Amino acid sequence: MAIITLNYEYLERLTRTDKDTIIKALPMIGSDIERLEEDHADVEFFPDRTDLYSVEGVARAMRGFLGIETGLPEYPVHESDVSFSVDPGLAGIRPVLGSAVIRNLRFDDASIESVMALQEALHWAIGRGRSKVAIGVHDLSTVTPPFRYIASPRDRQFVPLDYTESMTMDQILAEHPKGKAYAGIVEHFDRFPLIIDANDQVLSFPPIINGELTRVTSATTDILLDVTGTDERAVQNTVAIICSAFAEAGGTIESVTIDGQKTPSLEPVERIIDCNECAELIGVPVTPESIVPLLEKMRFGAEPLEGSKVLVFVPCYRADIMHDWDIFEDVAIAYGFDRFPATLPPTFTIGTEDPASRLARVVSGIAIGLGYTEVMPFTLTNERVSYDQMQRPGSDAALTVLHPISIENTMVRTDLLPMLLEILQLNKHRELPQRIFTVGDVNERALTYQKVAGAAIHPAADFSEIYATVDALLRELGADTLTIAASDDPAFLAGRQGAIMNGSEKIGCFGELHPDVIVGFDLEHPVIGFEIDLRSFL
Amino acid sequence: MELTVNEKRLLAVLGEHGSTEASILADELSTDAAAVVQWAHLAAGRGLVQVNREVLEEYQLTEEGESYARDGLPERQVVESIDGEIPMGELSRHPLAKVAIGWMRKNNWITIDRGIAKKAEATPESPEELALRKIAAGGADPGDCGELKSRGLVTVHEEVRWIIEITPEGKKLLEAGIDLRPAVGTLSREQILSGSWRDEALRRYSLATPPRRIYPGKPHPYRQILDEVRNLLLEMGFSEFSGNIVQSVFWNFDALFQPQDHPAREMQDTFYLDLTSPLPDGWEKIRDMHEHGGGTSSTGWGGAWDKTKAEGSVLRTHSTALSIQYLAAHPEPPVKAFSLSRVYRRESIDPTHLAEFEQLEGIVMDEGVTFSHLLGFLKEFYHRMGFSDVRFRPAYFPYTEPSVEPEVWVDGLGWVELGGAGIFREEVTAPFGISYPVLAWGLGISRVAMLRLGLKDLRQLYKSDIDWIRNTPSYRRI
């Protein structure tokens, strides 16, 4: 989630109220206050509300929520003669362009900081790390329209931002910090995206880096915005969020004609909602009369239509409004979550336990009665512990993850006993005897099922103890059709082990662990153990 | 004062002697002296007797010592063989000369001058001879026998004697009379049935001695919290469901209207598997929903939905993957159900992050349920969990709208965010023919366990120290 720095002085100036009032109300529109500092607050906003990723956007929302200025904010787009052309060669590389001109800006440190932070947050939240959308902001006075967005040869040279020497685009990918960070997005293309002006001067190499030429300073008053990407909707949403933030900062928005098409559109989207549907969802009565002020508080425009219908004007920057329910949620927020009645519905239902849980509960009770203490090991493990240390061959059923975090966690367990031996190892210096068990999920390919396993360590642990334990467990489970057969599991000592059979199918094992297995787990006393597949008991 | 029966027996015997040696008492008590000393020390601790330790040295001649006692020490034998003067060369031919010459000189029995040994006029008895004589005669206190010991003619034995003496308190107690019946520890079947236990001196045990520590088999402390949660949901009329750890990308993400380029789907956050999962019938409805909103008021995400992405497999990242399948299988109201299942995130493991942990998810689908009811269920649930103060804040989750984050008040920590909730988006429910709202809430139970058990490290839940399990009480007042 994005953390936005709210400069108090700038926030108070834009919101037209004091910071304490704002900070108190912020969580009620959906945010987490991370830190309160001397001169600013760091606040986390949810990824759907990208319009709140700037001080300007927060101030706009807070003016509405606090009743200082409600209803639809309007952002007129004045005509300009700035135009852009897009090279068809960019199809398949980075074909989408959005643009606007913003004039009459008076930047100070707080507003420059806010705009830069907005760009970064949008690169992350909408831009998916610049691959889907990338933003460039240029000092318009340094370049000459019309502009061209082209697929350029890779050896084109220009001076990238923060550098003094001219570099080829290939060099930039190899050497410039931003080039190295984002090379993966473009390096596989024959040609690279490039924005140039009428005099063939370079503005930007999207999505990597701008040219030094068009650097924005506190002296900049007029800006050319370029937003490039692969997805039309995401690009237009980004243009709308940035333009409306600039407008809130005092700028005048002017159009840019892209291949004959006048952009951007900062017009609201119209939606007709039904108050009854809203009331049914949120559970408090809503009428056209009561809903209009709530919508306006959230900066929607709203006009009652006939019956329970209301025409809603969704501001251009609200990319998150995809469905009528998204508007209903805003109604609920405007109404105030703290004012909602919290009631239970009248429908009568009976709860039933999952049969697997019931079995696990009973098996645990038996194991505890036999003196065993429950442990709850991880389900992620590795082949070394599961098979090698048990002296067992690997299993085809083991499902390994494609990108493990560490060599310790490469697969989902197929057996429980190795996990118990690991826990005994961890508790090597604790008082003996130790008797532990676990009931839990194992995985065979895509199938999950339950097993129980137990292990005990103490100087007198032997086959007769574990045989008696398993016998008692099976008797308590009413397993009178199961039989015990000879077994040659290499994890156990020969002649001191048994297999639990359901007909001809082996469903469990028990015995004295092989001394090599004991030493392999760094243990020093006799260890006995059992493991049983619980499926046949369900 | 509760005397052991042995102390009583000792006192009774000692009373006749007043003061005597432990070995004598041992004979009379038919036991060994060590036992008597042990009992005496116990009684001494109560001031009834006094125990004195005496050490006696006893000397014994070695075989060589015995022969010299009979025949005289080598120096005596040699000096007696000299008459006046003798050249050293000749003297050293005597078989005992080697030992004797030094001692003769030391005793001033001879002097040596220019190779000639000259016998003194008198050769009085030496201290060694005196000591040897006394020891051979069985006399005590041989005085200076050090040289005999170093010459290997005598061995010294230390003998410890314990002298036990009754004190005036002991006498008083004895005069008052003591019960000499043996103390009975464990009662026998015979003693209980016959009633003979009435005639026995039943041992009275000291509460000052701490009991032996034993540890019962018990459920894991975390299991007790999980069971508590399970029980309270069953009490609230919810049915439990479970499912596979491995899920298709379709059920884990696509069916929940998570856009296909959502960051949470990336390899950095999710465990992917080399396994293709078939899509269920009707997957096209999910595609339509993603692409254009499939006939609802939704715009969808736009773009083209990629079927092959949905056929991938992951370790379930949330229990919602199970909830949506449960709803798809039970599309008719009312549904009140929950799952408590382990979920997987590709996180580096540290004290507060694990790659796997338990998640609770509750769902309610019914005609006429609303956001108000969701808040009602949350409040009821958290109250039953022991959190009396609950408040709600707006939140965002990709598959719910409206969404809410409950916060509970924890003394010492303040408001703590605990889980998330919301109403499933129509984009999630409509493709499965679910036509009523679905209230849903999820909760990382391990967070609750940390609060409850006061843990600083989440790993302790799964890689447990047995001493921690043994020492965590099973019961806690709610």
Side-chain angles (χ1 to χ4, degrees):
Chain A
M1 274 191 262
I3 293 182
I4 306 302
T5 296
L6 301 176
N7 175 299
Y8 291 148
E9 186 276 321
Y10 190 43
L11 180 66
E12 289 182 334
R13 177 148 52 92
L14 289 177
T15 313
R16 308 200 288 271
T17 187
D18 65 286
K19 73 171 180 16
D20 295 333
T21 307
I22 301 168
I23 286 166
K24 194 155 164 268
L26 270 176
M28 299 322 294
I29 64 164
S31 68
D32 275 325
I33 294 171
E34 289 288 313
R35 268 177 303 276
L36 292 176
E37 302 286 351
E38 185 89 340
D39 60 344
H40 71 272
D42 291 331
V43 182
E44 187 172 12
F45 290 98
F46 296 117
D48 59 329
R49 289 300 301 273
T50 43
D51 60 299
L52 298 177
Y53 287 4
S54 64
V55 183
E56 294 83 356
V58 173
R60 174 176 57 206
M62 291 319 294
R63 289 200 304 273
F65 197 73
L66 296 169
I68 297 164
E69 172 194 289
T70 61
L72 185 74
E74 294 191 33
Y75 303 112
V77 178
H78 305 278
E79 284 217 27
S80 83
D81 51 7
V82 176
S83 68
F84 237 121
S85 66
V86 178
D87 180 353
L90 285 161
I93 300 178
R94 198 170 182 85
V96 185
L97 173 72
S99 183
V101 165
I102 303 104
R103 292 193 195 273
N104 307 321
L105 285 164
R106 284 215 312 274
F107 278 122
D108 57 23
D109 290 347
S111 54
I112 286 193
E113 194 190 354
S114 176
V115 166
M116 294 301 160
L118 173 62
Q119 272 191 62
E120 280 317 302
L122 292 177
H123 275 151
W124 171 80
I126 302 182
R128 306 284 189 245
R130 300 196 186 187
S131 65
K132 197 173 177 184
V133 172
I135 304 156
V137 173
H138 311 277
D139 186 329
L140 184 59
S141 68
T142 59
V143 282
T144 314
F147 303 106
R148 293 199 298 143
Y149 178 37
I150 60 168
S152 159
R154 296 166 57 136
D155 56 5
R156 171 74 192 239
Q157 292 200 352
F158 70 98
V159 182
L161 202 60
D162 298 330
Y163 274 59
T164 49
E165 301 299 315
S166 177
M167 297 166 87
T168 68
M169 293 160 88
D170 270 325
Q171 257 180 312
I172 290 171
L173 293 193
E175 293 166 28
H176 195 284
K178 295 285 182 203
K180 285 191 271 191
Y182 297 103
I185 304 171
V186 291
E187 64 191 352
H188 48 289
F189 295 120
D190 293 338
R191 288 171 166 256
F192 288 159
L194 191 73
I195 297 174
I196 51 176
D197 76 348
N199 301 328
D200 208 30
Q201 302 187 97
V202 172
L203 283 77
S204 177
F205 168 18
I208 310 296
I209 188 80
N210 282 351
E212 177 65 25
L213 175 70
T214 57
R215 173 189 282 278
V216 172
T217 68
S218 54
T220 304
T221 57
D222 296 347
I223 271 181
L224 175 75
L225 170 72
D226 81 74
V227 179
T228 61
T230 54
D231 181 279
E232 179 72 33
R233 192 151 109 186
V235 165
Q236 294 312 330
N237 287 339
T238 306
V239 171
I241 287 165
I242 293 184
C243 285
S244 65
F246 275 130
E248 292 289 339
T252 311
I253 314 296
E254 290 184 4
S255 65
V256 170
T257 305
I258 300 176
D259 288 336
Q261 195 91 33
K262 210 181 81 182
T263 63
S265 164
L266 303 181
E267 292 301 307
V269 175
E270 296 180 12
R271 264 182 186 270
I272 295 171
I273 59 161
D274 188 322
C275 288
N276 294 343
E277 257 182 57
C278 180
E280 276 169 29
L281 187 73
I282 68 175
V284 294
V286 180
T287 62
E289 290 68 40
S290 67
I291 205 172
V292 168
L294 294 175
L295 288 167
E296 287 177 343
K297 188 173 167 182
M298 301 305 284
R299 305 310 308 260
F300 295 101
E303 285 171 16
L305 302 175
E306 78 280 6
S308 56
K309 307 274 189 205
V310 173
L311 174 61
V312 179
F313 299 94
V314 180
C316 62
Y317 54 80
R318 287 297 301 270
D320 62 307
I321 305 292
M322 299 174 64
H323 188 284
D324 291 352
W325 288 14
D326 295 309
I327 296 177
F328 300 161
E329 179 183 59
D330 271 37
V331 172
I333 291 170
Y335 183 81
F337 278 18
D338 48 344
R339 287 176 59 207
F340 268 83
T343 55
L344 291 174
T347 309
F348 176 78
T349 54
I350 292 171
T352 47
E353 194 177 15
D354 184 40
S357 288
R358 178 173 168 268
L359 175 60
R361 185 164 54 75
V362 172
V363 169
S364 298
I366 299 166
I368 289 165
L370 288 165
Y372 280 67
T373 288
E374 187 184 25
V375 293
M376 301 178 72
F378 284 125
T379 57
L380 291 175
T381 180
N382 56 67
E383 286 87 346
R384 181 179 50 77
V385 170
S386 293
Y387 308 117
D388 300 351
Q389 281 188 237
M390 296 297 284
Q391 306 194 121
R392 286 171 171 165
S395 166
D396 295 339
L399 207 52
T400 52
V401 300
L402 287 177
H403 304 278
I405 335 162
S406 72
I407 54 164
E408 298 299 313
N409 303 287
T410 55
M411 58 172 271
V412 186
R413 65 191 184 191
T414 54
D415 301 294
L416 301 178
L417 198 49
M419 318 301 290
L420 295 185
L421 296 180
E422 265 194 320
I423 291 193
L424 290 181
Q425 181 177 358
L426 279 174
N427 287 283
K428 182 177 171 174
H429 301 294
R430 300 304 186 198
E431 194 180 329
L432 300 183
Q434 293 173 11
R435 291 186 176 84
I436 58 173
F437 80 98
T438 189
V439 182
D441 283 343
V442 297
N443 220 55
E444 276 185 20
R445 304 303 296 170
L447 178 71
T448 303
Y449 65 92
Q450 274 191 127
K451 282 185 174 180
V452 58
I457 179 167
H458 59 99
D462 64 4
F463 177 76
S464 58
E465 177 184 332
I466 199 67
Y467 195 6
T469 303
V470 167
D471 177 58
L473 176 61
L474 295 178
R475 273 187 284 117
E476 289 299 321
L477 285 171
D480 32 19
T481 60
L482 300 184
T483 54
I484 305 296
S487 161
D488 58 357
D489 185 336
F492 299 106
L493 267 175
R496 297 189 179 193
Q497 58 173 306
I500 302 162
M501 307 297 293
N502 183 19
S504 61
E505 187 199 1
K506 180 178 174 181
I507 63 159
C509 60
F510 63 92
E512 282 184 35
L513 272 299
H514 196 283
D516 288 341
V517 173
I518 295 174
V519 172
F521 279 97
D522 200 21
L523 296 169
E524 296 172 356
H525 292 282
V527 180
I528 50 180
F530 68 89
E531 177 151 4
I532 306 169
D533 178 345
L534 289 174
R535 278 177 292 185
S536 62
F537 298 95
L538 279 172
Chain B
M1 188 162 15
E2 193 62 37
L3 273 68
T4 63
V5 72
N6 287 326
E7 284 172 88
K8 291 175 188 171
R9 289 174 60 214
L10 172 70
L11 274 182
V13 173
L14 186 61
E16 291 159 25
H17 294 272
S19 171
T20 190
E21 230 183 289
S23 57
I24 294 168
L25 294 169
D27 285 347
E28 294 182 26
L29 289 163
S30 317
T31 184
D32 56 47
V36 168
V37 170
Q38 198 188 339
W39 305 341
H41 273 120
L42 270 177
R46 308 181 207 273
L48 302 173
V49 304
Q50 212 176 337
V51 182
N52 297 311
R53 184 175 184 266
E54 283 181 5
V55 180
L56 284 178
E57 287 191 337
E58 194 180 273
Y59 302 85
Q60 207 164 12
L61 296 177
T62 62
E63 207 175 306
E64 195 183 2
E66 297 261 15
S67 82
Y68 293 151
R70 204 167 47 241
D71 306 331
L73 286 166
E75 56 267 33
R76 175 62 63 191
Q77 291 187 41
V78 174
V79 84
E80 292 300 324
S81 72
I82 303 170
D83 193 13
E85 290 183 0
I86 184 168
M88 284 301 285
E90 197 181 320
L91 178 63
S92 58
R93 276 199 292 278
H94 192 286
L96 293 172
K98 227 173 171 181
V99 183
I101 290 171
W103 287 104
M104 289 190 294
R105 290 181 66 181
K106 192 167 176 235
N107 293 343
N108 296 318
W109 289 349
I110 59 167
T111 49
I112 297 169
D113 186 23
R114 272 167 289 180
I116 305 292
K118 187 180 176 198
K119 185 174 171 181
E121 288 186 4
T123 53
E125 186 178 49
S126 69
E128 288 79 27
E129 284 179 307
L130 175 68
L132 186 65
R133 189 161 52 80
K134 282 187 176 177
I135 293 167
D141 187 21
D144 180 15
C145 75
E147 301 288 1
L148 292 184
K149 197 178 158 196
S150 62
R151 288 172 73 173
L153 307 181
V154 161
T155 54
V156 182
H157 295 279
E158 278 196 352
E159 196 186 291
V160 177
R161 287 176 35 179
W162 296 93
I163 308 295
I164 298 163
E165 187 181 357
I166 194 159
T167 63
E169 288 81 33
K171 273 191 189 133
K172 225 155 72 188
L173 188 72
L174 201 54
E175 279 156 17
I178 49 176
D179 184 352
L180 284 178
R181 288 173 301 169
V184 170
T186 308
L187 288 173
S188 69
R189 175 177 181 272
E190 211 285 316
Q191 284 166 329
I192 291 170
L193 291 180
S194 67
S196 71
W197 64 269
R198 291 178 214 280
D199 306 323
E200 303 286 356
L202 297 185
R203 173 175 300 149
R204 301 171 75 99
Y205 293 100
S206 167
L207 294 172
T209 312
R212 186 167 58 90
R213 256 186 122 88
I214 55 169
Y215 300 103
K218 66 196 276 194
H220 192 281
Y222 184 32
R223 171 72 62 201
Q224 299 178 30
I225 292 171
L226 295 175
D227 282 346
E228 202 180 297
V229 171
R230 168 178 291 114
N231 284 338
L232 78 85
L233 281 157
L234 291 169
E235 283 167 9
M236 287 170 73
F238 284 74
S239 289
E240 187 183 16
F241 62 92
S242 58
N244 285 325
I245 290 172
V246 175
Q247 291 292 335
S248 63
V249 169
F250 177 87
W251 284 119
N252 198 76
F253 293 120
D254 292 284
L256 296 167
F257 198 55
Q258 191 109 284
Q260 287 199 317
D261 66 349
H262 194 281
R265 291 189 176 217
E266 282 170 20
M267 298 281 186
Q268 286 100 289
D269 298 318
T270 300
F271 288 115
Y272 280 84
L273 304 160
D274 184 15
L275 194 72
T276 303
S277 296
L279 300 189
D281 289 342
W283 60 267
E284 297 88 350
K285 290 183 187 161
I286 304 291
R287 174 197 63 200
D288 294 351
M289 190 58 79
H290 277 253
E291 289 185 350
H292 52 72
T296 66
S297 76
S298 177
T299 59
W301 292 112
W305 184 81
D306 183 353
K307 178 167 177 272
T308 55
K309 272 190 182 173
E311 288 168 334
S313 303
V314 297
L315 301 185
R316 64 189 178 210
T317 64
H318 48 187
S319 43
T320 319
L322 304 180
S323 300
I324 186 62
Q325 288 176 77
Y326 186 82
L327 285 166
H330 302 84
E332 292 305 318
V335 169
K336 264 169 78 180
F338 75 99
S339 71
L340 249 173
S341 40
R342 207 167 273 198
V343 299
Y344 299 82
R345 302 280 167 85
R346 199 175 168 282
E347 297 248 27
S348 295
I349 297 170
D350 65 32
T352 55
H353 295 90
L354 297 179
E356 49 178 307
F357 52 91
E358 272 71 25
Q359 203 173 49
L360 163 75
E361 184 151 308
I363 48 175
V364 177
M365 186 262 282
D366 198 6
E367 194 174 351
V369 291
T370 69
F371 187 62
S372 266
H373 295 132
L374 175 63
L375 302 187
F377 276 114
L378 289 170
K379 221 167 206 167
E380 183 68 26
F381 174 75
Y382 284 110
H383 283 175
R384 284 167 179 256
M385 287 287 291
F387 301 106
S388 48
D389 289 325
V390 186
R391 71 176 190 185
F392 302 109
R393 288 194 325 155
Y396 168 74
F397 306 104
Y399 36 88
T400 55
E401 194 78 23
S403 304
V404 57
E405 258 172 13
E407 292 183 324
V408 297
W409 180 265
V410 179
D411 284 336
L413 291 178
W415 289 104
V416 176
E417 177 197 321
L418 217 51
I423 301 179
F424 274 175
R425 299 184 69 99
E426 195 185 7
E427 289 97 327
V428 174
T429 55
F432 299 103
I434 300 155
S435 41
Y436 299 104
V438 177
L439 315 180
W441 81 93
L443 171 66
I445 294 285
S446 51
R447 294 272 321 268
V448 178
M450 266 185 115
L451 289 175
R452 277 277 187 83
L453 298 168
L455 291 180
K456 300 272 178 288
D457 189 336
L458 267 176
R459 288 172 289 194
Q460 175 70 338
L461 291 178
Y462 302 91
K463 289 203 157 181
S464 297
D465 181 337
I466 284 180
D467 274 6
W468 171 72
I469 300 178
R470 284 172 169 168
N471 294 321
T472 303
S474 296
Y475 178 74
R476 68 174 276 281
R477 199 173 289 108
I478 299 173

